[in-house]
């Protein structure tokens, strides 16, 4: 199956997940970012999801993980049939992804503001163990940046020069506080490299993720107008 065919199948995979807690808008806004990461950027293998030299992907924007589960299914981490029973009794696919239960999932998520600090810790831990090849990607929502824990994590990552760390901010203008000069500026003042792209433009996303940023963490601000 070609990657274009896999991408075209994502809406049908998402439709298999039903219920009242889908958080469809949140999921829909992350779909293209997740696809580009898993299709073109992340070095991960569904046959060896615990490979110590894998890239790490942490979903901090964990409410409404339908897009995440659909991409994992498309890429072979999950049997698509599991999607039919998501969030049901006995299903390992919960309303928030569980890093213990779901192959390819690194952390349990859903508590706003936790993903980026955890990613900073993962990047520091890999560096201390001498593993310099794995990249650490984390996806956050723009509203999460209102949490103080993220401000501290942004400062620490910049000062430590964690160039293995890449943060994607899906910016659908849902944040209530904002930042003078915009989301990217919040990272720039702490020494991060930044890029602002259309969150549905696959080539622009790929170019942002693969641009060199030696000695600095990277923040990719993916602008998305959520479909409602």
């Amino acid at each position: 199956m070609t990657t274009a065919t896999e991408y075209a199948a994502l809406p049908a995979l998402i439709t298999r997940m039903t219920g009242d807690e889908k958080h469809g808008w949140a999921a829909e806004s992350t779909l293209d970012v997740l696809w580009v990461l898993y299709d073109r950027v992340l070095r991960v293998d569904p046959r060896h999801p615990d490979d110590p030299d894998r890239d790490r992907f942490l979903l901090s924007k964990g409410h409404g993980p339908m897009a995440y589960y659909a991409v994992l299914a498309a890429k072979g981490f999950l049997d698509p049939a599991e999607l039919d029973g998501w969030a049901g009794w006995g299903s390992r696919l919960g309303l928030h992804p569980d890093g213990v239960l779901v192959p390819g999932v690194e952390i349990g998520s859903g508590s706003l503001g936790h993903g980026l600090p955890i990613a900073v810790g993962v990047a520091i831990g890999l560096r201390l163990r001498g593993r310099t090849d794995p990249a650490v990607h984390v996806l956050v929502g723009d509203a999460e940046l209102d949490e103080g824990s993220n401000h501290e994590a942004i400062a620490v990552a910049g000062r430590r020069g964690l160039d293995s760390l890449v943060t994607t901010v899906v910016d659908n203008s849902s944040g209530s506080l904002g930042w003078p000069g915009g989301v990217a500026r919040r990272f720039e003042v702490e020494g991060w490299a930044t890029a602002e792209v259309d969150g549905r433009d696959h080539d622009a996303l790929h170019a942002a993720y693969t641009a060199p940023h030696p000695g600095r963490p990277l923040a990719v601000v993916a602008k998305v107008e959520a479909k409602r």
Side-chain angles (χ1 to χ4, degrees), residues 158-171:
R159 284 158 174 72
R160 286 180 174 265
L162 296 179
D163 53 7
S164 65
L165 177 62
V166 180
T167 299
T168 302
V169 183
V170 173
D171 182 5

Side-chain angles (χ1 to χ4, degrees), residues 18-58:
T18 60
D20 296 331
E21 299 294 332
K22 293 177 69 169
H23 292 285
W25 299 343
E28 195 276 336
S29 68
T30 65
L31 183 62
D32 292 285
V33 167
L34 289 166
W35 178 252
V36 171
L37 286 171
Y38 274 88
D39 188 54
R40 301 172 64 177
V41 178
L42 294 173
R43 296 176 304 164
V44 292
D45 185 345
R47 298 167 298 179
H48 305 286
D50 297 322
D51 184 340
D53 290 319
R54 71 192 182 280
D55 288 342
R56 273 67 167 174
F57 173 76
L58 284 64

Side-chain angles (χ1 to χ4, degrees), residues 77-91:
F77 288 90
L78 294 173
D79 182 341
E82 282 198 72
L83 303 177
D84 297 332
W86 93 295
W89 181 260
S91 173

Side-chain angles (χ1 to χ4, degrees), residues 33 195-201 204-209 220-224:
V33 167
E196 294 184 83
V197 298
D198 180 343
R200 303 194 190 281
D201 186 327
L205 285 163
H206 181 255
Y209 289 132
V220 176
V221 180
K223 303 282 289 185
V224 173

Side-chain angles (χ1 to χ4, degrees), residues 34 38 67 71 83 95 97 111 144 161 164 170 172 202 218 221:
L34 289 166
Y38 274 88
V71 170
L83 303 177
L95 296 175
S111 298
E144 278 189 81
S164 65
V170 173
N172 54 17
H202 293 190
L218 171 66
V221 180

Side-chain angles (χ1 to χ4, degrees), residues 29-227:
S29 68
T30 65
L31 183 62
D32 292 285
V33 167
L34 289 166
W35 178 252
V36 171
L37 286 171
Y38 274 88
D39 188 54
R40 301 172 64 177
V41 178
L42 294 173
R43 296 176 304 164
V44 292
D45 185 345
R47 298 167 298 179
H48 305 286
D50 297 322
D51 184 340
D53 290 319
R54 71 192 182 280
D55 288 342
R56 273 67 167 174
F57 173 76
L58 284 64
L59 180 68
S60 186
K61 189 179 172 67
H63 55 291
M66 295 183 305
Y68 190 29
Y69 291 150
V71 170
L72 288 175
K75 288 302 180 181
F77 288 90
L78 294 173
D79 182 341
E82 282 198 72
L83 303 177
D84 297 332
W86 93 295
W89 181 260
S91 173
R92 59 181 177 173
L93 306 184
L95 296 175
H96 301 288
D98 190 322
V100 176
L101 298 177
V102 184
V105 174
E106 298 286 347
I107 61 170
S109 59
S111 298
L112 293 180
H114 283 56
L116 180 52
I118 293 172
V120 170
V122 171
I124 292 173
L126 288 169
R127 175 184 284 185
L128 290 174
R129 286 185 286 163
R131 294 192 180 278
T132 57
D133 289 336
V136 180
H137 284 257
V138 58
L139 190 157
V140 308
D142 59 317
E144 278 189 81
L145 296 181
D146 293 347
E147 301 286 342
S149 56
N150 280 307
H151 181 78
E152 295 172 354
I154 292 167
V156 170
R159 284 158 174 72
R160 286 180 174 265
L162 296 179
D163 53 7
S164 65
L165 177 62
V166 180
T167 299
T168 302
V169 183
V170 173
D171 182 5
N172 54 17
S173 301
S174 61
S176 59
L177 299 181
W179 186 259
V183 172
R185 182 60 181 160
R186 182 169 191 177
F187 291 84
E188 289 170 356
V189 298
E190 298 294 352
W192 290 55
T194 64
E196 294 184 83
V197 298
D198 180 343
R200 303 194 190 281
D201 186 327
H202 293 190
D203 289 337
L205 285 163
H206 181 255
Y209 289 132
T210 55
H213 52 98
R216 296 194 291 168
L218 171 66
V220 176
V221 180
K223 303 282 289 185
V224 173
E225 182 178 346
K227 298 176 182 178

